[in-house]
Amino acid sequence: MRKLDYTTIFFAIMGSFLFLFILVPIANLMISADPSSILNNLQDKEVMSAIFISVYCALAATLIAVIFGVPLAYILARHDFAGKGFVEAVIDVPIVIPHTISGIALLLIFTSTGVIGAPLGQLGLVFTDAIPGIVVAMLFASASFVVNSAREGFESVDPRMEKVARTLGSGSLKTFFIITLPLAVRSIVVGSIMCWARAISEFGAIIIIAYFPTTAPVLIYRRFVDFGLSEATPVAVILISLCLLLFLVVRLIMKGWRTYDKN
């Protein structure tokens, strides 16, 4: 066991401040909720429907982000081209701009008279106050996590391994799937999980483009505005518990993954 030095102790004390800053509000929220109220909300169809919509739409947004984001991440990791910095900046923009701005930007193009919404509306695909609107809002807010994490994973793969595979007769696409992708898959998984978590928590953009059907964050907001903390807190506890459970499972899987690699 590594001996603790003064630097480690000092850093542990400093780091504990941030850890407690995050832990205390979450723990207080969960403790303050009435257990019977939580059980009642677990049987509430409106609550369960809102959580299902959040989980379902977040999964859909994550799947789309992976399908289109992983190829983009590979290009950014392996190639230099004019405008690369601009592309990377655009990918990061949704992280830094207020989410209400994201919602307005999406509404302008996905409304029934928008550049994208109008032609798709003629095909029967509606975005405003509809599931597709929730998905695009979540996708816009969270896709950056998949791209950035996957790019880091691809950058960690030695390009010489790909060159060796190609000299042995493997095509570029086959090399990607048998060499590059397996070595970067952990980063892609981490990015996908962060994408899902960010998507499920999205509120600002969703409330503008698709207030209905109701997602869990929107339901929590509505109950807080209409009835106060006593009605909003149980739903918040259920959603936080779901996210905590997910992250604990993921941490266990990643820990087992590392142990397997070492052996």
Side-chain angles (χ1 to χ4, degrees):
M1 188 174 184
R2 183 177 178 181
K3 184 179 179 181
L4 296 179
D5 53 37
Y6 290 112
T7 302
T8 302
I9 295 173
F10 175 70
F11 283 179
I13 294 173
M14 296 294 289
S16 295
F17 170 79
L18 183 60
F19 170 74
L20 292 173
F21 177 77
I22 297 172
L23 174 65
V24 171
I26 294 175
N28 183 67
L29 173 68
M30 301 187 76
I31 292 173
S32 62
D34 182 6
S36 61
S37 179
I38 295 175
L39 291 175
N40 290 335
N41 276 274
L42 286 172
Q43 300 173 20
D44 188 326
K45 291 183 179 180
E46 184 182 30
V47 173
M48 291 297 97
S49 174
I51 291 178
F52 173 79
I53 290 172
S54 292
V55 172
Y56 168 77
C57 291
L59 287 173
T62 301
L63 180 61
I64 296 171
V66 170
I67 291 173
F68 294 98
V70 169
L72 175 59
Y74 181 78
I75 294 297
L76 293 175
R78 284 290 183 264
H79 300 280
D80 291 320
F81 52 89
K84 179 179 177 180
F86 176 73
V87 173
E88 292 175 333
V90 170
I91 293 299
D92 290 334
V93 162
I95 298 176
V96 297
I97 63 174
H99 298 161
T100 48
I101 295 178
S102 301
I104 292 171
L106 292 170
L107 184 62
L108 286 173
I109 64 170
F110 284 104
T111 188
S112 59
T113 57
V115 176
I116 299 177
L120 291 180
Q122 295 178 354
L123 299 176
L125 187 59
V126 179
F127 291 88
T128 53
D129 289 334
I131 290 292
I134 297 174
V135 174
V136 296
M138 289 181 170
L139 177 63
F140 188 86
S142 61
S144 304
F145 291 97
V146 171
V147 176
N148 290 330
S149 184
R151 181 183 60 192
E152 292 177 1
F154 290 135
E155 288 174 344
S156 68
V157 179
D158 192 342
R160 291 176 296 182
M161 299 178 66
E162 297 175 339
K163 292 179 181 179
V164 170
R166 291 175 185 174
T167 59
L168 295 175
S170 178
S172 58
L173 188 60
K174 183 178 179 181
T175 298
F176 173 80
F177 281 109
I178 66 173
I179 300 295
T180 314
L181 186 61
L183 293 175
V185 70
R186 185 177 302 174
S187 296
I188 296 172
V189 170
V190 171
S192 300
I193 293 167
M194 294 303 299
C195 176
W196 180 86
R198 176 64 192 85
I200 202 174
S201 67
E202 177 55 31
F203 170 76
I206 291 176
I207 203 171
I208 289 178
I209 190 173
Y211 191 83
F212 296 102
T214 307
T215 61
V218 173
L219 178 63
I220 293 169
Y221 170 75
R222 277 172 44 191
R223 292 201 170 183
F224 173 74
V225 171
D226 294 340
F227 306 107
L229 283 171
S230 60
E231 291 296 322
T233 299
V235 186
V237 169
I238 294 171
L239 187 60
I240 287 178
S241 300
L242 176 65
C243 294
L244 281 174
L245 179 62
L246 171 72
F247 279 113
L248 285 173
V249 170
V250 169
R251 294 292 181 186
L252 290 173
I253 293 174
M254 296 300 290
K255 184 178 180 180
W257 206 339
R258 287 193 293 266
T259 303
Y260 176 79
D261 288 345
K262 290 179 180 179
N263 295 333

